[in-house]
Amino acid sequence: MTNDSTPESVAAMLGAVGTRVRTLRKERGFTLERLAELSGLSMGIISQVERGLANPAFSTLVQLAHGLGIPVGLLFQVQEEHRSPVVRKSERRRLGGHGVGDDDSAVHELLTPDLSGALEVTWVETRPGHDTSATPFTHLGEEVGIVITGHKDVYLDGVRHELGPGDSIRYPSTIPHWYANNGDEVCTAIWVITPPTW
């Protein structure tokens, strides 16, 4: 039998608190950099806490809670939610931020119940003329996209890859990438990113 002082239970608790911090940060649309500014902590410390690799002092947790705009006690409400693994079409969460999904030319909806897992899966609709070349994306991880209808141009470090219905693409997210719908119809696609970036 184990008790609450075993290394395994401490690691599980730290992991749960880290997941809670990460979920709350993403729900608010904060980047690590933004939470660092709001909390007065370094991005490195926050990243370690979120990954369950740090055993933070209480003062660190207070700063995190302050940055998230919550009472510190909420960081410890980490019991597993009994959330359904199913996401109904009518219940999809619309995403915004990162310069995408902030106007009427694109819609991004979360296909996973939340952003606490290893994968972020989104339903993406882009109207003709949608173009993100002004703000190329670069971040850690890997992406896979598949076009359902319409056409989407995916640019990887300036190299254009035209995708049509049924076409897919995979690339490291560390490559500067951007998207355009140069067609004359709405493009619908499913995008998978690991780790989640929203």
Side-chain angles (χ1 to χ4, degrees):
M1 253 176 93
T2 62
N3 59 49
D4 288 342
S5 64
T6 63
E8 293 83 4
S9 64
V10 171
M13 179 191 66
L14 293 174
V17 170
T19 297
R20 178 76 169 156
V21 170
R22 183 169 179 269
T23 299
L24 290 167
R25 174 175 65 79
K26 288 184 174 290
E27 283 177 355
R28 284 154 178 74
F30 293 165
T31 61
L32 278 172
E33 183 177 16
R34 180 61 179 149
L35 183 54
E37 291 171 2
L38 293 170
S39 66
L41 297 168
S42 72
M43 287 191 293
I45 290 292
I46 297 171
S47 175
Q48 285 190 335
V49 169
E50 289 189 356
R51 291 179 292 149
L53 302 177
N55 189 349
F58 183 73
S59 59
T60 299
L61 295 175
V62 169
Q63 287 178 265
L64 277 172
H66 176 75
L68 293 165
I70 60 167
V72 70
L74 286 183
L75 293 179
F76 300 99
Q77 292 183 2
V78 295
Q79 58 268 33
E80 189 67 30
E81 294 181 21
H82 298 290
R83 182 178 294 191
S84 172
V86 176
V87 177
R88 303 291 176 197
K89 181 178 180 181
S90 62
E91 299 172 348
R92 290 179 190 163
R93 188 171 122 203
R94 188 161 178 172
L95 300 170
H98 300 299
V100 295
D102 298 331
D103 57 37
D104 292 335
S105 69
V107 172
H108 293 73
E109 295 178 332
L110 190 62
L111 296 179
T112 48
D114 54 44
L115 292 165
S116 64
L119 297 174
E120 167 191 311
V121 185
T122 55
W123 177 268
V124 183
E125 295 179 6
T126 52
R127 293 184 180 177
H130 177 74
D131 188 327
T132 65
S133 60
T135 55
F137 307 103
T138 306
H139 50 90
L140 295 176
E142 186 174 49
E143 302 186 29
V144 172
I146 181 168
V147 171
I148 309 299
T149 64
H151 291 82
K152 181 185 282 284
D153 291 337
V154 178
Y155 292 83
L156 302 178
D157 207 14
V159 178
R160 177 177 176 238
H161 302 273
E162 184 179 353
L163 304 180
D167 293 341
S168 58
I169 189 170
R170 181 187 75 173
Y171 51 92
S173 305
T174 51
I175 297 174
H177 52 284
W178 62 92
Y179 314 100
N181 181 349
N182 295 311
D184 56 6
E185 63 179 304
V186 171
C187 174
T188 58
I190 293 175
W191 233 255
V192 181
I193 303 174
T194 182
T197 60
W198 289 90

